[in-house]
Amino acid sequence: MIIAERKPFKEIQEMVAPYGNVLIVGCGTCVAVCLAGGEKEVGLLAAQLKLARNLAGQAGRLGEITVERQCDREFIEPLQESAADYEAVISTACGAGVQFLAALLKEKPVFPALNTTFIGVNEAAGHYTERCRSCHQCYLGITGGICPVTMCTKGLLNGPCGGTVAGKCEVDPERPCAWCEIYERLESQGRLGQIEAILPLHPHSRTTSPGTVIHPAYLRRYAAHE
Amino acid sequence: MEASKVIPTAPVAEFQPKILALVCTYCTYTAADMAGSARMQYPPTVRIVKYLCTGRIDILHILKAFEAGADAVMVSGCEAGSCHFLEGNLRARERVEYAKKLLAEIGLEPERLEMFEVAASDAPKWVMVVREMTERVKKLGPSPLHREGGSPAQVAAAVQRVVAQ
């Protein structure tokens, strides 16, 4: 899922300082799981902003609403009505959600409350680590389920490099060398031969523009827009 | 104008803090109950909200208490290692530490929030922590968020509403 962290309170406070009535819109999917932007976090941010505004003697109403997902038009469309009474909106979604909401509420300033960090996993409560760079070309099938693009500090497709020291990375001696792990994983599965395959150049060209994916079943429907 | 119309001003009463105590039923509440039964004297500054376990206490409950006009909030549970639900008090401590950071971010003194541990048999300690917290809040003065009409009962009622949600 997408992992995000809440921005420092001061930054959020300053962004919405010029506005009286502000609606805080939460997102109930990825950022709710990583405790950054779900219903609970919207409540906390609203409570904090209310207290801070009371302290500063600033008037204005703070609304709270959380939708299932902000990256789906059907969930955010009803927000047009909800946001009508507010001068500005704070979105606690990832960058995608904030942009989708900002595009929907064109006339209204929409501010992000989070810094979107990476695609990762839930190691334990409150502990998240990165796993995927969404690089358009997945190598996990031949690297034993360990991503060289993400887990290798240098993103090497044909490793390990000369900087691996006793299974650790030269960039950070605390960090395991992804390619050593790939070697061990492949060896334990009896398919070490795969490590000899030379991977071709990574198709970086695919990542140079905002990506678009059209499901093959919908090609005819969207062909006119392409 | 008649001089007799001048209304004499009442003597300024000493600031009596409004402290909300969020306590667990197994330890601190029992201790507070015992302090009452034993007629131990302590300042009438606290209003108690009883939880089944301090692990249920949400940061939002603490923030709402300040919003409703509490001068301070004290969370009090079992001693470390003796939680009826194993680690509820440890979780509460983590939350209180986090809530203190949130208070500091908005410019409210984090000292207005504190976590205590009072065992079920330790009524004198309950009396001590209430005195300690009362003295601390008297030094800090009324909460800058304090609004007229925020009586201790109203503060407690505001938290009860949040808990019931």
Side-chain angles (χ1 to χ4, degrees):
Chain A
M1 66 178 164
I2 291 168
I3 309 294
E5 294 173 296
R6 204 184 84 174
K7 282 179 176 291
F9 179 71
K10 275 269 173 298
E11 191 182 337
I12 303 173
Q13 194 184 16
E14 280 164 18
M15 282 192 286
V16 296
Y19 307 96
N21 296 346
V22 178
L23 178 66
I24 307 176
V25 183
C27 182
T29 307
C30 313
V31 293
V33 179
C34 67
L35 311 176
E39 195 172 4
K40 166 66 76 54
E41 291 71 33
V42 167
L44 279 179
L45 179 59
Q48 242 190 324
L49 273 173
K50 262 181 219 168
L51 290 175
R53 284 181 159 207
N54 280 357
L55 275 177
Q58 194 188 345
R61 193 157 48 89
L62 285 163
E64 302 170 35
I65 190 166
T66 299
V67 296
E68 189 68 32
R69 271 196 298 284
Q70 287 186 31
C71 55
D72 244 323
R73 199 168 271 130
E74 62 181 294
F75 292 120
I76 57 169
E77 260 167 2
L79 290 175
Q80 269 179 318
E81 206 175 311
S82 321
D85 298 337
Y86 296 90
E87 295 157 43
V89 173
I90 296 176
S91 164
T92 70
C94 69
V98 176
Q99 289 187 55
F100 220 30
L101 192 61
L104 179 82
L105 309 170
K106 279 195 189 67
E107 311 296 319
K108 222 160 277 232
V110 176
F111 300 103
L114 309 183
N115 289 326
T116 311
T117 45
F118 49 74
I119 299 179
V121 295
N122 201 348
E123 297 267 11
H127 181 196
Y128 315 99
T129 51
E130 184 169 13
R131 285 294 187 281
C132 179
R133 288 271 161 96
S134 57
C135 72
H136 292 244
Q137 177 62 50
C138 194
Y139 302 106
L140 291 171
I142 36 179
T143 56
I146 295 163
C147 174
V149 178
T150 315
M151 307 309 282
C152 167
T153 318
K154 302 175 183 180
L156 294 180
L157 294 188
N158 295 288
C161 66
T164 173
V165 185
K168 300 289 181 193
C169 179
E170 67 171 343
V171 174
D172 176 5
E174 296 289 301
R175 215 170 137 146
C177 166
W179 274 99
C180 285
E181 291 191 327
I182 291 171
Y183 182 96
E184 284 160 10
R185 179 78 59 83
L186 289 176
E187 190 180 37
S188 72
Q189 295 177 356
R191 48 179 184 139
L192 193 53
Q194 265 177 241
I195 208 165
E196 287 178 8
I198 304 293
L199 292 174
L201 289 175
H202 187 74
H204 287 289
S205 58
R206 292 188 207 166
T207 62
T208 52
S209 58
T212 301
V213 171
I214 294 177
H215 190 277
Y218 292 85
L219 273 179
R220 209 167 51 145
R221 188 189 292 191
Y222 301 114
H225 303 294
E226 283 302 294
Chain B
M1 251 201 211
E2 291 173 48
S4 60
K5 286 273 170 74
V6 177
I7 302 159
T9 47
V12 180
E14 197 197 354
F15 163 56
Q16 281 295 334
K18 286 178 291 186
I19 303 172
L20 194 71
L22 310 178
V23 308
C24 93
T25 186
Y26 291 99
C27 291
T28 305
Y29 190 84
T30 311
D33 205 21
M34 193 192 287
S37 310
R39 304 261 193 274
M40 291 179 178
Q41 296 297 309
Y42 60 89
T45 50
V46 290
R47 289 299 180 277
I48 293 176
V49 177
K50 184 168 76 167
Y51 286 76
L52 195 58
C53 174
T54 47
R56 169 67 181 92
I57 297 170
D58 199 304
I59 295 171
L60 210 47
H61 302 168
I62 295 169
L63 295 185
K64 290 284 175 194
F66 283 110
E67 208 178 294
D71 294 310
V73 175
M74 51 193 284
V75 173
S76 184
C78 308
E79 290 176 325
S82 64
C83 174
H84 198 80
F85 302 98
L86 305 178
E87 54 183 34
N89 54 351
L90 306 179
R91 292 180 185 191
R93 185 170 284 284
E94 282 179 324
R95 286 186 196 135
V96 168
E97 294 302 322
Y98 182 58
K100 280 181 167 218
K101 283 190 193 137
L102 298 184
L103 291 181
E105 277 180 350
I106 60 168
L108 199 64
E109 301 94 338
E111 298 80 28
R112 291 185 185 276
L113 171 64
E114 201 57 73
M115 169 102 191
F116 296 98
E117 290 172 353
V118 178
S121 57
D122 212 350
K125 188 175 178 190
W126 167 251
V127 172
M128 198 184 77
V129 300
V130 171
R131 283 195 182 135
E132 182 191 323
M133 202 64 189
T134 306
E135 283 313 306
R136 185 193 293 192
V137 183
K138 276 188 177 168
K139 280 196 192 109
L140 287 169
S143 162
L145 294 155
H146 184 76
R147 278 172 298 176
E148 288 303 316
S151 72
Q154 280 170 312
V155 172
V159 171
Q160 294 285 20
R161 276 199 301 278
V162 178
V163 176
Q165 270 171 14

